[in-house]
Amino acid sequence: MAITEHDVASAEARMQAVRQTGYAIDAHYDRTTSRIVVRLASGLDFSFPIDLAEGLSNGSPDDLAEIEISPAGLGLHWPKLDADLYIPALLQGVFGSKSWMARQLGTSGGKSRSAAKTASARENGAKGGRPRKSATG
């Protein structure tokens, strides 16, 4: 498939539109709060805890402190962790891949406590717990 001048111009226009939402001019790791702090060209600063982002939670402070900003300002890269995050996605609350985000949601859902969940667990326990899986053959 050949790439035409029109394709290139169209891609550049899309990138400029994305950059209008904000692009990073500075990023650093704040050791006192264990957060990544990002400054956008618009003057907006935002931060997020390292445990919230895919690939950062197991990084050492020195590894987390080494952050590269992509030339377009739309990406953050941690070379020692081989982790990458996309600024427009971060601004939309997306802190990793779809599968990683789904696992995070499932983990937090499994930890939830409610009166209904507690009552159901007690009722199942009184009946002998979760039924055993039967072998089908």
Side-chain angles (χ1 to χ4, degrees):
M1 178 175 153
I3 298 174
T4 66
E5 290 294 323
H6 174 47
D7 294 334
V8 172
S10 178
E12 288 175 348
R14 284 192 310 272
M15 192 218 26
Q16 286 302 329
V18 170
R19 283 191 88 209
Q20 295 304 315
T21 62
Y23 58 93
I25 58 171
D26 183 53
H28 68 274
Y29 173 61
D30 184 341
R31 292 171 190 253
T32 59
T33 62
S34 295
R35 297 174 77 86
I36 302 297
V37 180
V38 181
R39 171 160 288 165
L40 301 180
S42 64
L44 173 74
D45 288 350
F46 72 94
S47 68
F48 57 91
I50 60 170
D51 292 339
L52 199 59
E54 182 176 12
L56 302 184
S57 62
N58 294 326
S60 72
D62 288 338
D63 293 345
L64 292 164
E66 190 176 331
I67 305 172
E68 297 174 355
I69 299 172
S70 71
L74 298 176
L76 302 175
H77 176 68
W78 287 262
K80 292 181 181 176
L81 301 173
D82 193 26
D84 296 282
L85 295 173
Y86 184 55
I87 299 293
L90 293 173
L91 293 171
Q92 294 175 357
V94 178
F95 295 93
S97 65
K98 282 185 181 182
S99 61
W100 185 84
M101 293 287 290
R103 279 195 308 276
Q104 299 309 306
L105 184 59
T107 299
S108 65
K111 292 179 182 175
S112 69
R113 303 280 186 239
S114 68
K117 188 173 179 179
T118 301
S120 179
R122 284 195 179 121
E123 189 177 318
N124 276 343
K127 294 178 184 176
R130 185 178 297 227
R132 296 192 188 276
K133 292 184 180 178
S134 62
T136 58

PDB file of all heavy atoms in Angstrom, residues 61-97:
ATOM      1  N   PRO A  61      12.599   4.096  42.665  1.00  0.00           N
ATOM      2  CA  PRO A  61      12.557   5.555  42.526  1.00  0.00           C
ATOM      3  C   PRO A  61      13.504   6.072  41.434  1.00  0.00           C
ATOM      4  O   PRO A  61      13.147   6.990  40.693  1.00  0.00           O
ATOM      5  CB  PRO A  61      12.964   6.060  43.913  1.00  0.00           C
ATOM      6  CG  PRO A  61      12.490   4.977  44.836  1.00  0.00           C
ATOM      7  CD  PRO A  61      12.733   3.702  44.080  1.00  0.00           C
ATOM      8  N   ASP A  62      14.687   5.480  41.321  1.00  0.00           N
ATOM      9  CA  ASP A  62      15.621   5.916  40.285  1.00  0.00           C
ATOM     10  C   ASP A  62      15.091   5.603  38.880  1.00  0.00           C
ATOM     11  O   ASP A  62      15.242   6.409  37.959  1.00  0.00           O
ATOM     12  CB  ASP A  62      16.991   5.277  40.474  1.00  0.00           C
ATOM     13  CG  ASP A  62      17.731   5.847  41.676  1.00  0.00           C
ATOM     14  OD1 ASP A  62      17.399   6.978  42.097  1.00  0.00           O
ATOM     15  OD2 ASP A  62      18.625   5.162  42.190  1.00  0.00           O
ATOM     16  N   ASP A  63      14.471   4.432  38.718  1.00  0.00           N
ATOM     17  CA  ASP A  63      13.897   4.061  37.424  1.00  0.00           C
ATOM     18  C   ASP A  63      12.726   4.975  37.067  1.00  0.00           C
ATOM     19  O   ASP A  63      12.564   5.375  35.916  1.00  0.00           O
ATOM     20  CB  ASP A  63      13.409   2.611  37.430  1.00  0.00           C
ATOM     21  CG  ASP A  63      14.544   1.612  37.542  1.00  0.00           C
ATOM     22  OD1 ASP A  63      15.710   2.003  37.334  1.00  0.00           O
ATOM     23  OD2 ASP A  63      14.252   0.434  37.845  1.00  0.00           O
ATOM     24  N   LEU A  64      11.906   5.300  38.052  1.00  0.00           N
ATOM     25  CA  LEU A  64      10.739   6.151  37.819  1.00  0.00           C
ATOM     26  C   LEU A  64      11.139   7.589  37.516  1.00  0.00           C
ATOM     27  O   LEU A  64      10.422   8.303  36.822  1.00  0.00           O
ATOM     28  CB  LEU A  64       9.813   6.115  39.037  1.00  0.00           C
ATOM     29  CG  LEU A  64       9.122   4.767  39.268  1.00  0.00           C
ATOM     30  CD1 LEU A  64       8.566   4.696  40.675  1.00  0.00           C
ATOM     31  CD2 LEU A  64       8.037   4.552  38.234  1.00  0.00           C
ATOM     32  N   ALA A  65      12.287   8.012  38.052  1.00  0.00           N
ATOM     33  CA  ALA A  65      12.733   9.396  37.853  1.00  0.00           C
ATOM     34  C   ALA A  65      13.229   9.646  36.433  1.00  0.00           C
ATOM     35  O   ALA A  65      13.272  10.789  35.987  1.00  0.00           O
ATOM     36  CB  ALA A  65      13.820   9.740  38.854  1.00  0.00           C
ATOM     37  N   GLU A  66      13.587   8.598  35.722  1.00  0.00           N
ATOM     38  CA  GLU A  66      14.096   8.752  34.354  1.00  0.00           C
ATOM     39  C   GLU A  66      12.932   8.681  33.369  1.00  0.00           C
ATOM     40  O   GLU A  66      12.509   7.606  32.954  1.00  0.00           O
ATOM     41  CB  GLU A  66      15.118   7.662  34.042  1.00  0.00           C
ATOM     42  CG  GLU A  66      15.850   7.911  32.754  1.00  0.00           C
ATOM     43  CD  GLU A  66      16.936   6.879  32.491  1.00  0.00           C
ATOM     44  OE1 GLU A  66      17.505   6.335  33.449  1.00  0.00           O
ATOM     45  OE2 GLU A  66      17.199   6.632  31.301  1.00  0.00           O
ATOM     46  N   ILE A  67      12.393   9.839  33.013  1.00  0.00           N
ATOM     47  CA  ILE A  67      11.238   9.932  32.124  1.00  0.00           C
ATOM     48  C   ILE A  67      11.632  10.687  30.865  1.00  0.00           C
ATOM     49  O   ILE A  67      12.215  11.768  30.948  1.00  0.00           O
ATOM     50  CB  ILE A  67      10.067  10.688  32.791  1.00  0.00           C
ATOM     51  CG1 ILE A  67       9.702  10.053  34.136  1.00  0.00           C
ATOM     52  CG2 ILE A  67       8.856  10.725  31.860  1.00  0.00           C
ATOM     53  CD1 ILE A  67       8.697  10.860  34.929  1.00  0.00           C
ATOM     54  N   GLU A  68      11.319  10.115  29.717  1.00  0.00           N
ATOM     55  CA  GLU A  68      11.553  10.784  28.437  1.00  0.00           C
ATOM     56  C   GLU A  68      10.204  11.216  27.868  1.00  0.00           C
ATOM     57  O   GLU A  68       9.228  10.467  27.926  1.00  0.00           O
ATOM     58  CB  GLU A  68      12.232   9.830  27.453  1.00  0.00           C
ATOM     59  CG  GLU A  68      13.606   9.379  27.903  1.00  0.00           C
ATOM     60  CD  GLU A  68      14.200   8.314  26.981  1.00  0.00           C
ATOM     61  OE1 GLU A  68      13.505   7.846  26.048  1.00  0.00           O
ATOM     62  OE2 GLU A  68      15.366   7.948  27.212  1.00  0.00           O
ATOM     63  N   ILE A  69      10.162  12.420  27.327  1.00  0.00           N
ATOM     64  CA  ILE A  69       8.958  12.927  26.675  1.00  0.00           C
ATOM     65  C   ILE A  69       9.170  12.782  25.165  1.00  0.00           C
ATOM     66  O   ILE A  69      10.223  13.141  24.650  1.00  0.00           O
ATOM     67  CB  ILE A  69       8.706  14.401  27.043  1.00  0.00           C
ATOM     68  CG1 ILE A  69       8.501  14.525  28.559  1.00  0.00           C
ATOM     69  CG2 ILE A  69       7.502  14.949  26.285  1.00  0.00           C
ATOM     70  CD1 ILE A  69       8.425  15.948  29.051  1.00  0.00           C
ATOM     71  N   SER A  70       8.176  12.257  24.471  1.00  0.00           N
ATOM     72  CA  SER A  70       8.305  12.065  23.028  1.00  0.00           C
ATOM     73  C   SER A  70       8.462  13.420  22.336  1.00  0.00           C
ATOM     74  O   SER A  70       8.060  14.446  22.874  1.00  0.00           O
ATOM     75  CB  SER A  70       7.080  11.328  22.478  1.00  0.00           C
ATOM     76  OG  SER A  70       5.949  12.178  22.515  1.00  0.00           O
ATOM     77  N   PRO A  71       9.051  13.437  21.133  1.00  0.00           N
ATOM     78  CA  PRO A  71       9.251  14.710  20.428  1.00  0.00           C
ATOM     79  C   PRO A  71       7.964  15.515  20.222  1.00  0.00           C
ATOM     80  O   PRO A  71       7.985  16.739  20.284  1.00  0.00           O
ATOM     81  CB  PRO A  71       9.843  14.285  19.086  1.00  0.00           C
ATOM     82  CG  PRO A  71      10.529  12.994  19.376  1.00  0.00           C
ATOM     83  CD  PRO A  71       9.675  12.319  20.416  1.00  0.00           C
ATOM     84  N   ALA A  72       6.837  14.833  20.016  1.00  0.00           N
ATOM     85  CA  ALA A  72       5.564  15.545  19.836  1.00  0.00           C
ATOM     86  C   ALA A  72       4.960  15.964  21.175  1.00  0.00           C
ATOM     87  O   ALA A  72       4.002  16.725  21.211  1.00  0.00           O
ATOM     88  CB  ALA A  72       4.573  14.670  19.077  1.00  0.00           C
ATOM     89  N   GLY A  73       5.524  15.448  22.280  1.00  0.00           N
ATOM     90  CA  GLY A  73       5.011  15.790  23.602  1.00  0.00           C
ATOM     91  C   GLY A  73       3.774  15.008  23.993  1.00  0.00           C
ATOM     92  O   GLY A  73       3.129  15.316  24.986  1.00  0.00           O
ATOM     93  N   LEU A  74       3.442  13.977  23.227  1.00  0.00           N
ATOM     94  CA  LEU A  74       2.223  13.221  23.493  1.00  0.00           C
ATOM     95  C   LEU A  74       2.472  11.904  24.224  1.00  0.00           C
ATOM     96  O   LEU A  74       1.520  11.216  24.585  1.00  0.00           O
ATOM     97  CB  LEU A  74       1.473  12.947  22.183  1.00  0.00           C
ATOM     98  CG  LEU A  74       0.990  14.191  21.442  1.00  0.00           C
ATOM     99  CD1 LEU A  74       0.360  13.808  20.111  1.00  0.00           C
ATOM    100  CD2 LEU A  74       0.029  14.986  22.295  1.00  0.00           C
ATOM    101  N   GLY A  75       3.722  11.555  24.439  1.00  0.00           N
ATOM    102  CA  GLY A  75       4.028  10.294  25.099  1.00  0.00           C
ATOM    103  C   GLY A  75       5.076  10.443  26.176  1.00  0.00           C
ATOM    104  O   GLY A  75       5.943  11.321  26.104  1.00  0.00           O
ATOM    105  N   LEU A  76       4.977   9.584  27.186  1.00  0.00           N
ATOM    106  CA  LEU A  76       5.990   9.489  28.234  1.00  0.00           C
ATOM    107  C   LEU A  76       6.595   8.100  28.157  1.00  0.00           C
ATOM    108  O   LEU A  76       5.881   7.116  27.956  1.00  0.00           O
ATOM    109  CB  LEU A  76       5.357   9.692  29.624  1.00  0.00           C
ATOM    110  CG  LEU A  76       4.619  10.998  29.854  1.00  0.00           C
ATOM    111  CD1 LEU A  76       3.959  10.987  31.234  1.00  0.00           C
ATOM    112  CD2 LEU A  76       5.564  12.174  29.728  1.00  0.00           C
ATOM    113  N   HIS A  77       7.913   8.023  28.341  1.00  0.00           N
ATOM    114  CA  HIS A  77       8.611   6.742  28.240  1.00  0.00           C
ATOM    115  C   HIS A  77       9.581   6.599  29.402  1.00  0.00           C
ATOM    116  O   HIS A  77      10.311   7.536  29.727  1.00  0.00           O
ATOM    117  CB  HIS A  77       9.363   6.656  26.910  1.00  0.00           C
ATOM    118  CG  HIS A  77      10.182   5.411  26.771  1.00  0.00           C
ATOM    119  ND1 HIS A  77       9.620   4.162  26.654  1.00  0.00           N
ATOM    120  CD2 HIS A  77      11.516   5.220  26.748  1.00  0.00           C
ATOM    121  CE1 HIS A  77      10.592   3.261  26.552  1.00  0.00           C
ATOM    122  NE2 HIS A  77      11.745   3.882  26.611  1.00  0.00           N
ATOM    123  N   TRP A  78       9.564   5.434  30.035  1.00  0.00           N
ATOM    124  CA  TRP A  78      10.509   5.086  31.094  1.00  0.00           C
ATOM    125  C   TRP A  78      11.422   4.011  30.524  1.00  0.00           C
ATOM    126  O   TRP A  78      11.046   2.836  30.460  1.00  0.00           O
ATOM    127  CB  TRP A  78       9.764   4.559  32.318  1.00  0.00           C
ATOM    128  CG  TRP A  78       9.052   5.624  33.080  1.00  0.00           C
ATOM    129  CD1 TRP A  78       9.493   6.269  34.196  1.00  0.00           C
ATOM    130  CD2 TRP A  78       7.767   6.193  32.796  1.00  0.00           C
ATOM    131  NE1 TRP A  78       8.569   7.192  34.604  1.00  0.00           N
ATOM    132  CE2 TRP A  78       7.500   7.173  33.766  1.00  0.00           C
ATOM    133  CE3 TRP A  78       6.814   5.977  31.799  1.00  0.00           C
ATOM    134  CZ2 TRP A  78       6.331   7.920  33.780  1.00  0.00           C
ATOM    135  CZ3 TRP A  78       5.655   6.726  31.813  1.00  0.00           C
ATOM    136  CH2 TRP A  78       5.423   7.676  32.798  1.00  0.00           C
ATOM    137  N   PRO A  79      12.630   4.382  30.089  1.00  0.00           N
ATOM    138  CA  PRO A  79      13.502   3.423  29.399  1.00  0.00           C
ATOM    139  C   PRO A  79      13.893   2.215  30.249  1.00  0.00           C
ATOM    140  O   PRO A  79      13.951   1.099  29.740  1.00  0.00           O
ATOM    141  CB  PRO A  79      14.736   4.239  29.016  1.00  0.00           C
ATOM    142  CG  PRO A  79      14.577   5.582  29.596  1.00  0.00           C
ATOM    143  CD  PRO A  79      13.213   5.703  30.165  1.00  0.00           C
ATOM    144  N   LYS A  80      14.146   2.406  31.529  1.00  0.00           N
ATOM    145  CA  LYS A  80      14.569   1.284  32.378  1.00  0.00           C
ATOM    146  C   LYS A  80      13.423   0.337  32.690  1.00  0.00           C
ATOM    147  O   LYS A  80      13.651  -0.812  33.057  1.00  0.00           O
ATOM    148  CB  LYS A  80      15.195   1.799  33.665  1.00  0.00           C
ATOM    149  CG  LYS A  80      16.513   2.503  33.433  1.00  0.00           C
ATOM    150  CD  LYS A  80      17.118   2.966  34.727  1.00  0.00           C
ATOM    151  CE  LYS A  80      18.434   3.685  34.472  1.00  0.00           C
ATOM    152  NZ  LYS A  80      18.995   4.218  35.727  1.00  0.00           N
ATOM    153  N   LEU A  81      12.196   0.807  32.560  1.00  0.00           N
ATOM    154  CA  LEU A  81      11.018  -0.025  32.836  1.00  0.00           C
ATOM    155  C   LEU A  81      10.348  -0.513  31.563  1.00  0.00           C
ATOM    156  O   LEU A  81       9.429  -1.331  31.617  1.00  0.00           O
ATOM    157  CB  LEU A  81      10.003   0.769  33.667  1.00  0.00           C
ATOM    158  CG  LEU A  81      10.498   1.289  35.008  1.00  0.00           C
ATOM    159  CD1 LEU A  81       9.452   2.194  35.647  1.00  0.00           C
ATOM    160  CD2 LEU A  81      10.843   0.135  35.929  1.00  0.00           C
ATOM    161  N   ASP A  82      10.783   0.006  30.413  1.00  0.00           N
ATOM    162  CA  ASP A  82      10.164  -0.279  29.123  1.00  0.00           C
ATOM    163  C   ASP A  82       8.654  -0.036  29.201  1.00  0.00           C
ATOM    164  O   ASP A  82       7.842  -0.853  28.790  1.00  0.00           O
ATOM    165  CB  ASP A  82      10.456  -1.709  28.666  1.00  0.00           C
ATOM    166  CG  ASP A  82      10.098  -1.912  27.196  1.00  0.00           C
ATOM    167  OD1 ASP A  82      10.116  -0.919  26.434  1.00  0.00           O
ATOM    168  OD2 ASP A  82       9.767  -3.056  26.822  1.00  0.00           O
ATOM    169  N   ALA A  83       8.291   1.113  29.773  1.00  0.00           N
ATOM    170  CA  ALA A  83       6.884   1.490  29.939  1.00  0.00           C
ATOM    171  C   ALA A  83       6.615   2.770  29.165  1.00  0.00           C
ATOM    172  O   ALA A  83       7.461   3.664  29.111  1.00  0.00           O
ATOM    173  CB  ALA A  83       6.569   1.688  31.415  1.00  0.00           C
ATOM    174  N   ASP A  84       5.450   2.839  28.562  1.00  0.00           N
ATOM    175  CA  ASP A  84       5.040   4.004  27.780  1.00  0.00           C
ATOM    176  C   ASP A  84       3.605   4.364  28.132  1.00  0.00           C
ATOM    177  O   ASP A  84       2.756   3.482  28.278  1.00  0.00           O
ATOM    178  CB  ASP A  84       5.108   3.696  26.281  1.00  0.00           C
ATOM    179  CG  ASP A  84       6.521   3.411  25.830  1.00  0.00           C
ATOM    180  OD1 ASP A  84       7.278   4.370  25.655  1.00  0.00           O
ATOM    181  OD2 ASP A  84       6.849   2.221  25.647  1.00  0.00           O
ATOM    182  N   LEU A  85       3.339   5.658  28.250  1.00  0.00           N
ATOM    183  CA  LEU A  85       1.983   6.149  28.475  1.00  0.00           C
ATOM    184  C   LEU A  85       1.708   7.284  27.499  1.00  0.00           C
ATOM    185  O   LEU A  85       2.605   8.058  27.161  1.00  0.00           O
ATOM    186  CB  LEU A  85       1.810   6.629  29.914  1.00  0.00           C
ATOM    187  CG  LEU A  85       1.925   5.538  30.988  1.00  0.00           C
ATOM    188  CD1 LEU A  85       1.899   6.153  32.373  1.00  0.00           C
ATOM    189  CD2 LEU A  85       0.821   4.512  30.839  1.00  0.00           C
ATOM    190  N   TYR A  86       0.454   7.390  27.075  1.00  0.00           N
ATOM    191  CA  TYR A  86       0.018   8.348  26.067  1.00  0.00           C
ATOM    192  C   TYR A  86      -0.736   9.477  26.777  1.00  0.00           C
ATOM    193  O   TYR A  86      -1.734   9.228  27.461  1.00  0.00           O
ATOM    194  CB  TYR A  86      -0.858   7.609  25.059  1.00  0.00           C
ATOM    195  CG  TYR A  86      -1.335   8.392  23.877  1.00  0.00           C
ATOM    196  CD1 TYR A  86      -0.458   9.066  23.043  1.00  0.00           C
ATOM    197  CD2 TYR A  86      -2.691   8.422  23.557  1.00  0.00           C
ATOM    198  CE1 TYR A  86      -0.915   9.760  21.937  1.00  0.00           C
ATOM    199  CE2 TYR A  86      -3.156   9.106  22.450  1.00  0.00           C
ATOM    200  CZ  TYR A  86      -2.253   9.779  21.645  1.00  0.00           C
ATOM    201  OH  TYR A  86      -2.705  10.461  20.544  1.00  0.00           O
ATOM    202  N   ILE A  87      -0.259  10.710  26.642  1.00  0.00           N
ATOM    203  CA  ILE A  87      -0.823  11.860  27.362  1.00  0.00           C
ATOM    204  C   ILE A  87      -2.332  12.019  27.125  1.00  0.00           C
ATOM    205  O   ILE A  87      -3.093  12.133  28.094  1.00  0.00           O
ATOM    206  CB  ILE A  87      -0.077  13.168  27.012  1.00  0.00           C
ATOM    207  CG1 ILE A  87       1.401  13.081  27.407  1.00  0.00           C
ATOM    208  CG2 ILE A  87      -0.752  14.373  27.650  1.00  0.00           C
ATOM    209  CD1 ILE A  87       1.686  13.017  28.870  1.00  0.00           C
ATOM    210  N   PRO A  88      -2.831  12.035  25.865  1.00  0.00           N
ATOM    211  CA  PRO A  88      -4.279  12.173  25.685  1.00  0.00           C
ATOM    212  C   PRO A  88      -5.078  11.072  26.400  1.00  0.00           C
ATOM    213  O   PRO A  88      -6.150  11.326  26.939  1.00  0.00           O
ATOM    214  CB  PRO A  88      -4.471  12.117  24.173  1.00  0.00           C
ATOM    215  CG  PRO A  88      -3.174  12.652  23.635  1.00  0.00           C
ATOM    216  CD  PRO A  88      -2.137  12.100  24.571  1.00  0.00           C
ATOM    217  N   ALA A  89      -4.543   9.855  26.423  1.00  0.00           N
ATOM    218  CA  ALA A  89      -5.233   8.770  27.127  1.00  0.00           C
ATOM    219  C   ALA A  89      -5.231   9.014  28.639  1.00  0.00           C
ATOM    220  O   ALA A  89      -6.241   8.798  29.310  1.00  0.00           O
ATOM    221  CB  ALA A  89      -4.573   7.431  26.802  1.00  0.00           C
ATOM    222  N   LEU A  90      -4.096   9.472  29.183  1.00  0.00           N
ATOM    223  CA  LEU A  90      -4.037   9.779  30.614  1.00  0.00           C
ATOM    224  C   LEU A  90      -5.081  10.821  30.991  1.00  0.00           C
ATOM    225  O   LEU A  90      -5.739  10.715  32.035  1.00  0.00           O
ATOM    226  CB  LEU A  90      -2.641  10.287  31.007  1.00  0.00           C
ATOM    227  CG  LEU A  90      -1.497   9.286  30.924  1.00  0.00           C
ATOM    228  CD1 LEU A  90      -0.171   9.993  31.189  1.00  0.00           C
ATOM    229  CD2 LEU A  90      -1.704   8.152  31.913  1.00  0.00           C
ATOM    230  N   LEU A  91      -5.244  11.826  30.144  1.00  0.00           N
ATOM    231  CA  LEU A  91      -6.217  12.879  30.413  1.00  0.00           C
ATOM    232  C   LEU A  91      -7.659  12.351  30.367  1.00  0.00           C
ATOM    233  O   LEU A  91      -8.557  12.959  30.934  1.00  0.00           O
ATOM    234  CB  LEU A  91      -6.045  14.038  29.424  1.00  0.00           C
ATOM    235  CG  LEU A  91      -4.743  14.817  29.575  1.00  0.00           C
ATOM    236  CD1 LEU A  91      -4.572  15.803  28.422  1.00  0.00           C
ATOM    237  CD2 LEU A  91      -4.689  15.527  30.915  1.00  0.00           C
ATOM    238  N   GLN A  92      -7.843  11.208  29.719  1.00  0.00           N
ATOM    239  CA  GLN A  92      -9.166  10.578  29.669  1.00  0.00           C
ATOM    240  C   GLN A  92      -9.321   9.482  30.717  1.00  0.00           C
ATOM    241  O   GLN A  92     -10.331   8.791  30.754  1.00  0.00           O
ATOM    242  CB  GLN A  92      -9.407   9.992  28.279  1.00  0.00           C
ATOM    243  CG  GLN A  92      -9.508  11.038  27.206  1.00  0.00           C
ATOM    244  CD  GLN A  92      -9.624  10.425  25.818  1.00  0.00           C
ATOM    245  OE1 GLN A  92      -9.582   9.210  25.641  1.00  0.00           O
ATOM    246  NE2 GLN A  92      -9.781  11.272  24.821  1.00  0.00           N
ATOM    247  N   GLY A  93      -8.297   9.307  31.559  1.00  0.00           N
ATOM    248  CA  GLY A  93      -8.382   8.301  32.616  1.00  0.00           C
ATOM    249  C   GLY A  93      -7.977   6.908  32.193  1.00  0.00           C
ATOM    250  O   GLY A  93      -8.286   5.932  32.877  1.00  0.00           O
ATOM    251  N   VAL A  94      -7.274   6.785  31.079  1.00  0.00           N
ATOM    252  CA  VAL A  94      -6.800   5.480  30.606  1.00  0.00           C
ATOM    253  C   VAL A  94      -5.326   5.371  30.975  1.00  0.00           C
ATOM    254  O   VAL A  94      -4.496   6.092  30.442  1.00  0.00           O
ATOM    255  CB  VAL A  94      -7.006   5.329  29.081  1.00  0.00           C
ATOM    256  CG1 VAL A  94      -6.458   4.000  28.597  1.00  0.00           C
ATOM    257  CG2 VAL A  94      -8.476   5.482  28.727  1.00  0.00           C
ATOM    258  N   PHE A  95      -5.014   4.447  31.871  1.00  0.00           N
ATOM    259  CA  PHE A  95      -3.661   4.339  32.408  1.00  0.00           C
ATOM    260  C   PHE A  95      -2.934   3.073  31.976  1.00  0.00           C
ATOM    261  O   PHE A  95      -1.926   2.703  32.572  1.00  0.00           O
ATOM    262  CB  PHE A  95      -3.704   4.413  33.940  1.00  0.00           C
ATOM    263  CG  PHE A  95      -4.177   5.745  34.437  1.00  0.00           C
ATOM    264  CD1 PHE A  95      -5.504   5.970  34.720  1.00  0.00           C
ATOM    265  CD2 PHE A  95      -3.277   6.788  34.594  1.00  0.00           C
ATOM    266  CE1 PHE A  95      -5.938   7.212  35.165  1.00  0.00           C
ATOM    267  CE2 PHE A  95      -3.699   8.021  35.043  1.00  0.00           C
ATOM    268  CZ  PHE A  95      -5.033   8.238  35.325  1.00  0.00           C
ATOM    269  N   GLY A  96      -3.429   2.419  30.928  1.00  0.00           N
ATOM    270  CA  GLY A  96      -2.777   1.214  30.418  1.00  0.00           C
ATOM    271  C   GLY A  96      -3.585   0.608  29.286  1.00  0.00           C
ATOM    272  O   GLY A  96      -4.566   1.183  28.813  1.00  0.00           O
ATOM    273  N   SER A  97      -3.174  -0.581  28.874  1.00  0.00           N
ATOM    274  CA  SER A  97      -3.846  -1.278  27.778  1.00  0.00           C
ATOM    275  C   SER A  97      -5.245  -1.721  28.218  1.00  0.00           C
ATOM    276  O   SER A  97      -5.559  -1.747  29.407  1.00  0.00           O
ATOM    277  CB  SER A  97      -3.030  -2.496  27.352  1.00  0.00           C
ATOM    278  OG  SER A  97      -2.991  -3.445  28.416  1.00  0.00           O
TER     279      SER A  97
END
